[in-house]
Amino acid sequence: MQLEITAEQTGQRLDRILGAAVPELSRAALQKAVQSGCCTVDGLPEKRPAAKMRMGQTVILNLPEHSDRLQPEEGHLELLWQDDHLVVCNKPAGLTVHPCPSCPEQTLVQRLLGRFPQLSRLEGQRPGIVHRLDKDTSGLLVVALTEADCLALAEAFAERQVHKEYLALASGLPPLEGQCREPLGRHPTAKIKMAVVPEDQGGRNAFTEWRRLWSTDDGSVSLLAVRIHTGRTHQIRVHMAHLGYPLLGDRLYAPKAVQNMAPRQMLHAWRLGFAHPASGEDMHFICPPPQDMPDAALAATQRMQRLVITGNPGSGKSALSAGLVALGVPVISADDVVADLYAPGGAGSQWIGRLRGGLLGADGAVDRTALMAAMREDPVLRRDVEQTVHALTQQRITDFWQQQENAKVPLAAAEIPLYFECGWQQVFSPVPLSVGVHCPLPLRSARTAEHRGWNQEKMAALEAWQWPEDRKMAACDLVISNEGDLPRLQEKAAGLVEKLRLLEQEKREELTRTLIRLWSSH
């Protein structure tokens, strides 16, 4: 093939110009051909696919000739059925169904030829193939072994007499049931992609419907059973992406973040039903997905474990937090956040200084003794301060958890004395596991008097602002008793981390069992 670069093509990449001239070849195949020395520009070899072209240059592409005769190949085949008329196999992801310019060998058809030599009697590069699966889609495929069976099965597919159902992992939370009937056609600019295209512009009718079988707690990922009533190229992938629910791992149609959630597009042909072309017998096949699909579902649920440590004054929350820090667990303290807000120049001190005079010290920090006295006397002031400071603190904790999750930390904790009193158990998402530190009031009073210098009046005032201890402990997911010394509490911190690890492991195992039940019962 020879072409001359036009003014419109000036400055474009060589592989892009070749792609427009040879649309039947993928960009990757053309890049490979250029890199292997099959292209010259003005008579000189050009091995750079990204080379920018100039007007008037002459480009010649000499693709190597290949034999039209298919060669049998060795390779693994998972067969679910075989007789003299047809074969039903489970195609693995990563295997192309039949030869094409970008993949002339190492295909399913060539493996089938190695096992079923009678396929060589059928003409063409797709002997016996009556429907296809994308290279990175796994699952059930029926192959005809004779010309008559091929014609009969092809007619059954054309007349929509074949039941095809897929499992798909999609981003987001689609409705429990739904359908898409948007027509599909070639993407107007990206030759390797399909798109929703109006029928008057070349789009062909397409019909996809789904049922939602399962979703993550936060609705970020859903498992769908998808039935297609037409067989358009990339139909499920394009329809679901068009609706806003792209498939995990889909390198063509999903945003980058969704692409990175799986090693391939999470699509598996798990059910296939048709009438046997010779006997007319109803044939039904079910094939569970490969391990990468439940693995991707599990990975979608594996958020960082978030822990809240709470308790009444003097219970030992800070001591438990220190024990977690010693074990490498990142911990943020709501009290430390408030101290930072109240420091000179802090957001809290600046706001409180404008709110009322006499509440700041000489250095510009909040005078916490004066603030507490003012809040006792003025319920409105107390409400305003709590709402504002709590909102600022909540945001700091939310940011902390997100930073730790971005850093791939498995567990992070927040020490929040007023977690339940503030109603924060309904605020954070995902909802953290709450751990209450229990200690009887007489012991707590003695500890705060000894270590913090609190008198009974201050202890009673702070205690009155919180839930009664028995109510708070009843609201917690886990409770740790702290009636002993510090070393014993640190031992309990280590036990808590181990218990959380086991809870996470049990959660993964239960999800695996749930997924297996889902595709065993539908």
Side-chain angles (χ1 to χ4, degrees):
M1 183 208 70
Q2 178 176 322
L3 58 90
E4 185 170 314
I5 303 301
T6 65
E8 292 77 11
Q9 294 170 324
T10 298
Q12 292 185 16
R13 290 169 53 113
L14 174 59
D15 56 357
R16 182 177 179 183
I17 295 172
L18 292 174
V22 194
E24 65 270 19
L25 288 182
S26 68
R27 178 75 69 87
L30 288 168
Q31 290 174 343
K32 186 177 180 180
V34 171
Q35 292 166 344
S36 62
C38 296
C39 186
T40 63
V41 176
D42 288 341
L44 298 176
E46 177 57 79
K47 295 186 176 183
R48 298 172 300 154
K52 301 296 179 63
M53 296 292 98
R54 300 191 305 275
M55 186 176 69
Q57 288 183 312
T58 299
V59 177
I60 298 176
L61 179 66
N62 291 310
L63 295 174
E65 295 184 2
H66 65 276
S67 172
D68 289 336
R69 182 177 177 82
L70 292 175
Q71 298 298 318
E73 295 176 353
E74 294 292 328
H76 174 71
L77 286 172
E78 183 181 342
L79 303 180
L80 282 73
W81 177 272
Q82 66 179 92
D83 59 25
D84 293 337
H85 301 273
L86 58 87
V87 169
V88 176
C89 62
N90 178 22
K91 186 191 85 68
L95 182 65
T96 301
V97 171
H98 58 72
C100 58
S102 61
C103 184
E105 54 189 19
Q106 298 297 321
T107 68
L108 176 66
V109 160
Q110 286 150 314
R111 292 186 186 184
L112 287 166
L113 273 169
R115 182 77 67 89
F116 303 98
Q118 62 266 44
L119 279 171
S120 61
R121 300 171 193 159
L122 279 63
E123 296 182 355
Q125 296 290 297
R126 308 175 184 180
I129 299 301
V130 293
H131 68 124
R132 290 177 290 172
L133 297 175
D134 297 336
K135 176 181 178 180
D136 288 328
T137 297
S138 57
L140 293 167
L141 196 76
V142 59
V143 180
L145 294 180
T146 72
E147 189 67 37
D149 297 313
C150 189
L151 291 172
L153 284 170
E155 182 179 1
F157 274 93
E159 296 296 325
R160 303 181 185 177
Q161 297 169 353
V162 177
H163 180 93
K164 294 180 289 183
E165 190 168 279
Y166 295 72
L167 288 173
L169 278 176
S171 174
L173 188 67
L176 284 172
E177 294 183 351
Q179 59 179 239
C180 186
R181 291 178 177 267
E182 296 289 348
L184 300 179
R186 283 286 170 191
H187 193 284
T189 58
K191 299 299 183 182
I192 62 173
K193 296 176 68 173
M194 305 297 289
V196 169
V197 176
E199 291 185 356
D200 60 1
Q201 297 179 26
R204 302 174 67 189
N205 70 299
F207 179 17
T208 303
E209 61 179 342
W210 75 83
R211 293 171 291 125
R212 175 156 50 87
L213 304 180
W214 168 88
S215 61
T216 55
D217 292 341
D218 61 0
S220 61
V221 173
S222 298
L223 175 68
L224 310 178
V226 186
R227 185 180 178 189
I228 55 174
H229 299 271
T230 51
R232 308 303 176 211
T233 301
H234 300 175
Q235 178 174 324
I236 295 173
R237 299 164 63 189
V238 177
H239 269 171
M240 298 313 299
H242 174 73
L243 294 171
Y245 310 110
L247 302 193
L248 271 56
D250 194 329
R251 303 296 186 265
L252 275 182
Y253 302 106
K256 196 71 174 179
V258 179
Q259 293 180 25
N260 295 335
M261 294 177 73
R264 63 172 178 101
Q265 69 248 15
M266 288 289 100
L267 189 61
H268 173 75
W270 79 315
R271 278 187 164 182
L272 183 63
F274 56 91
H276 193 283
S279 67
E281 177 187 358
D282 285 338
M283 310 287 286
H284 297 281
F285 298 91
I286 297 178
C287 181
Q291 188 60 41
D292 61 358
M293 186 169 277
D295 285 349
L298 282 167
T301 68
Q302 289 178 354
R303 302 288 302 273
M304 179 188 75
Q305 283 186 299
R306 301 180 182 210
L307 189 68
V308 164
I309 301 168
T310 191
N312 288 59
S315 62
K317 302 180 298 297
S318 298
L320 180 64
S321 297
L324 293 174
V325 170
L327 295 168
V329 178
V331 178
I332 187 173
S333 165
D335 286 345
D336 289 345
V337 171
V338 172
D340 183 58
L341 293 172
Y342 285 178
S349 60
Q350 294 182 50
W351 176 77
I352 289 173
R354 293 192 297 268
L355 186 67
R356 178 183 291 191
L359 299 179
L360 300 184
D363 60 354
V366 171
D367 184 333
R368 301 187 71 160
T369 301
L371 177 63
M372 179 175 286
M375 289 169 63
R376 286 180 187 170
E377 295 175 0
D378 187 346
V380 175
L381 173 66
R382 174 186 168 187
R383 181 201 62 200
D384 291 344
V385 170
E386 286 182 345
Q387 286 181 346
T388 301
V389 174
H390 288 173
L392 293 170
T393 305
Q394 177 196 322
Q395 188 58 52
R396 290 273 191 95
I397 294 171
T398 298
D399 293 343
F400 163 80
W401 267 327
Q402 190 59 56
Q403 291 164 3
Q404 299 304 318
E405 187 160 39
N406 292 343
K408 307 299 182 183
V409 171
L411 169 65
E415 181 187 331
I416 310 175
L418 300 177
Y419 178 63
F420 295 109
E421 291 83 349
C422 296
W424 287 2
Q425 67 272 33
Q426 306 297 329
V427 169
F428 296 114
S429 179
V431 178
L433 193 73
S434 56
V435 176
V437 182
H438 165 69
C439 183
L441 178 59
L443 183 53
R444 290 192 287 111
S445 298
R447 286 174 174 173
T448 54
E450 178 182 356
H451 299 293
R452 305 183 193 180
W454 291 5
N455 57 32
Q456 290 297 318
E457 182 183 3
K458 183 173 183 178
M459 181 67 178
L462 291 174
E463 189 79 8
W465 288 358
Q466 303 199 26
W467 285 8
E469 187 177 33
D470 56 351
R471 180 186 176 192
K472 183 177 288 191
M473 295 300 103
C476 292
D477 297 304
L478 299 171
V479 175
I480 291 179
S481 177
N482 179 30
E483 299 184 36
D485 53 15
L486 183 60
R488 186 174 300 177
L489 188 60
Q490 291 175 336
E491 290 177 5
K492 291 184 177 182
L496 174 61
V497 171
E498 176 62 16
K499 184 168 187 176
L500 294 174
R501 186 190 68 80
L502 293 175
L503 286 174
E504 188 66 16
Q505 180 178 327
E506 290 174 5
K507 180 180 177 182
R508 292 195 298 270
E509 291 173 352
E510 177 57 30
L511 176 56
T512 301
R513 290 191 292 269
T514 298
L515 293 174
I516 291 173
R517 284 196 301 270
L518 281 171
W519 49 64
S520 297
S521 60
H522 286 78

